[in-house]
Each structure stands twice: as structure tokens, then as C-alpha cells.
Amino acid sequence: MPLPKSEYISDVWKDGIFDNKVVFCTGGAGTICSAQVRALVRLGANACIVGRNVEKTERVAQDIATARPGAKVIGIGAVDVRKFEDVKDAVERCVKDLGSIDFVIAGAAGNFLASIEQLSVNAFKSVVDIDVIGSYNTLKATLPFLVESGGKHRIDSETFQRAPGGTGGRIIFVSSTLHYRGMPFQAHVSVAKAGIDALSNSTAIEYGPRGVTSNIIAPGPVAQTEGLERLLPSDAKAAYTKSQPLGRFGHVRDIADATVYLFSDAGSYVTGQTLVVDGANWRMSGGFVANGNNLQYPDLLLSGKEIANVTGKKKSKL
């Protein structure tokens, strides 16, 4: 049964605005990225999502396809974004099966909690490679098709009219806000996301003349995602929610709506930008609350205690 529309996209968008368009998404089986792709498919696009886990990626692709009758959604597993040939092969299959690539979402990412002292060289490298190298590989492999699509869908500089067929030639990099102010136990991710931001900005400048737009979506804490479960102790959620400027966490629908905006005609003059979708979360000074101990920064770090009840925490050897 199809997921209710209200779970992943707002009612403000017109059906069919992405008819005959194709989106390629790394990390597409994840909670946030799958919602982004599902929204685009609902509005007319076909899609190709890639991931490491074969079964999960194929299952999520089949589920996304239920968003619109007749939708084509391919799930390609066993893809390591750190390996260019893996990404290139997936891109070639996408184009072969779906005909083109008009939109790209670079969403593959890695994260876990670790202080710099606890963080091994290999663990640091792994996150940087997945986020930065993976994003670059995604960009590099899809650029020929983004340039082709962007050229077809340019807006005339004199008449400001677009060639028939809607939008195309657009890429979104999924980043975060962690590196805006710094965050304990997130040095590896902060460095990686800063690199992604720089890559997107350079892409906007170099490929704008060829009709390609490049932007960043920086989500804040989004409810019911693996990332939030990993990073926030379970018994601290209520207090953390109350501390948010809007009094709530984000929803995947918030990120999907931002994606539709940037890929739609409404975002035609938006490039080289970071769209922060976090309810002003990053502007709060905030501390780091330990499980049940109410330890604020820097007490938590100086105590040497580990954060309890954080799902998915990985331990790294020095």
C-alpha cells in the first residue's frame, strides 16, 4: 500500500511538474533521501537509488515506486560510493534503463559518535571518504548527463523563457550544520560536511555557465531517522525537543519539500546556496547532555564518561 502523501510531501506542489525527469540518488535507501526521491516520483519523476545493502536498496526502490502509478524506480545495491567505478556503473545502468539523468541527490553519508582522542585514523578517513570522495564520485559520474539536461532546459537570458520540458541539470548535496559552530564527538563529520559544502559551491561556479545548478540542503535534527537515534540519548529527547526554537524536530517532509523547491521552476535562479532546514536549531548555543547525568560542555568531555543509550554507536581503536 502506498505511503500517505502527507508523510513525505506537502500539498502545495502540483502533480506532474517532474514528468519525464530522472533522478539519481546515492544513499537513496536512507530515511531522508528516500523521502526526497519519493516526493519527486510522486510529482512525475522516475528514479534510480543506490546503496551498499542490496536487499534494502531494492526493497526501498519498490516501495518508492508505489508513490505514483506507472513510476519506474530502480534500486542498485552493492555500490560503494568511495569507488568511482561502482558509481559510474550505477550511473550507466540508470541512463540505460531510464534514458537520462536530470537531477542528482548526493546523500550517502557515514556518522557515529567519537571524540578526537577515541577516533582512529581509519575511522576518520572512512567518514571523509564516504562523504567527500563519495560526493565527488557522484558528481563526476553524473556530470555529463547533468550538463546535457541543463543545456536543454536553460532559461533564455533575454526573454526569461524556458525551453519546453521543465527543469533539469540540477544537483543537491545533503550536508549538515554541525561544522557551523563545532560539535563534540563530531569532528570527523564536521570536516566531511565542510568539504561537501566547498565542493557544491565550486560546482555552482564552474558549471553554472553550462546550465547546471548546485545547492546544499543542510538538515537539522529530523525525527525518526537513524542519524538522530545515533546522536541523541533516548532519555534526553524530551528536553532537547523543548529547547528547539520551533518546539519540534524536523520531519522528512520538510527536507523533501526543500528538494522539490530547488529542483522546480521556483528554484531556477538559486545556485551556490545552502538551504538550511533545521528550525533555527544551529543558532542555539546548546550544550551536550549526557544520559541521566545532566552534564553540560565541557564537563562531559572532562568526565571521561561515555554517552549511554545511543543506538548505533561504534567504537574505534586507536
Side-chain angles (χ1 to χ4, degrees):
M1 178 178 292
L3 191 68
K5 182 181 178 182
S6 61
E7 290 295 313
Y8 60 90
I9 190 175
S10 299
D11 287 330
V12 298
W13 306 110
K14 182 180 178 181
D15 287 342
I17 59 175
F18 297 129
D19 280 354
N20 303 314
K21 296 297 181 291
V22 175
V23 56
F24 180 88
C25 178
T26 59
T31 310
I32 290 177
C33 288
S34 64
Q36 292 174 283
V37 176
R38 192 185 301 267
L40 298 171
V41 169
R42 172 66 186 236
L43 299 179
N46 293 318
C48 176
I49 65 171
V50 302
R52 293 292 297 272
N53 187 294
V54 176
E55 182 182 355
K56 180 182 179 181
T57 304
E58 292 178 351
R59 183 181 71 249
V60 172
Q62 292 173 357
D63 186 56
I64 291 174
T66 65
R68 175 176 53 83
K72 298 178 181 178
V73 182
I74 302 169
I76 307 176
V79 175
D80 186 344
V81 295
R82 295 171 294 185
K83 300 177 180 179
F84 179 72
E85 289 302 319
D86 278 12
V87 182
K88 184 173 180 289
D89 289 346
V91 167
E92 290 176 352
R93 179 181 165 189
C94 176
V95 174
K96 178 182 177 181
D97 291 354
L98 300 179
S100 64
I101 293 177
D102 301 287
F103 306 129
V104 174
I105 299 171
N111 197 354
F112 51 87
L113 292 170
S115 67
I116 293 174
E117 184 176 10
Q118 297 170 324
L119 188 63
S120 71
V121 172
N122 285 337
F124 183 91
K125 182 178 185 299
S126 178
V127 171
V128 172
D129 283 356
I130 292 170
D131 285 45
V132 181
I133 302 301
S135 292
Y136 183 76
N137 287 342
T138 302
L139 171 69
K140 191 74 171 178
T142 58
L143 260 176
F145 306 102
L146 286 174
V147 170
E148 180 181 2
S149 179
K152 291 178 180 177
H153 301 99
R154 296 178 69 101
I155 290 180
D156 184 80
S157 62
E158 297 295 330
T159 65
F160 297 99
Q161 298 300 308
R162 182 187 302 283
T167 63
R170 301 188 182 183
I171 183 169
I172 289 172
F173 295 87
V174 181
S175 185
S176 75
T177 62
L178 295 170
H179 52 297
Y180 295 177
R181 65 184 185 196
M183 180 72 71
F185 305 107
Q186 292 286 272
H188 46 311
V189 185
S190 298
V191 170
K193 297 304 186 184
I196 288 174
D197 292 1
L199 175 61
S200 177
N201 295 337
S202 294
T203 302
I205 295 170
E206 289 193 26
Y207 286 89
R210 304 187 194 186
V212 175
T213 70
S214 178
N215 291 290
I216 301 153
I217 289 180
V222 177
Q224 299 177 338
T225 60
E226 183 181 359
L228 189 66
E229 294 300 320
R230 285 187 175 187
L231 302 180
L232 186 65
S234 57
D235 64 349
K237 287 183 180 178
Y240 192 75
T241 302
K242 186 177 180 180
S243 73
Q244 300 306 295
L246 293 181
R248 70 172 177 90
F249 289 130
H251 190 278
V252 292
R253 181 179 56 243
D254 298 316
I255 312 304
D257 283 336
T259 304
V260 174
Y261 162 64
L262 289 174
F263 283 164
S264 72
D265 259 329
S268 63
Y269 200 55
V270 180
T271 189
Q273 302 301 314
T274 299
L275 180 52
V276 177
V277 188
D278 79 333
N281 167 272
W282 81 269
R283 295 192 179 278
M284 301 293 291
S285 57
F288 212 86
V289 182
N291 177 37
N293 295 320
N294 296 318
L295 291 176
Q296 301 291 330
Y297 175 85
D299 299 326
L300 176 58
L301 290 170
L302 295 177
S303 72
K305 295 181 179 180
E306 292 189 351
I307 300 175
N309 298 329
V310 180
T311 302
K313 180 178 179 180
K314 298 180 180 179
K315 295 183 178 179
S316 298
K317 297 180 180 180
L318 294 175

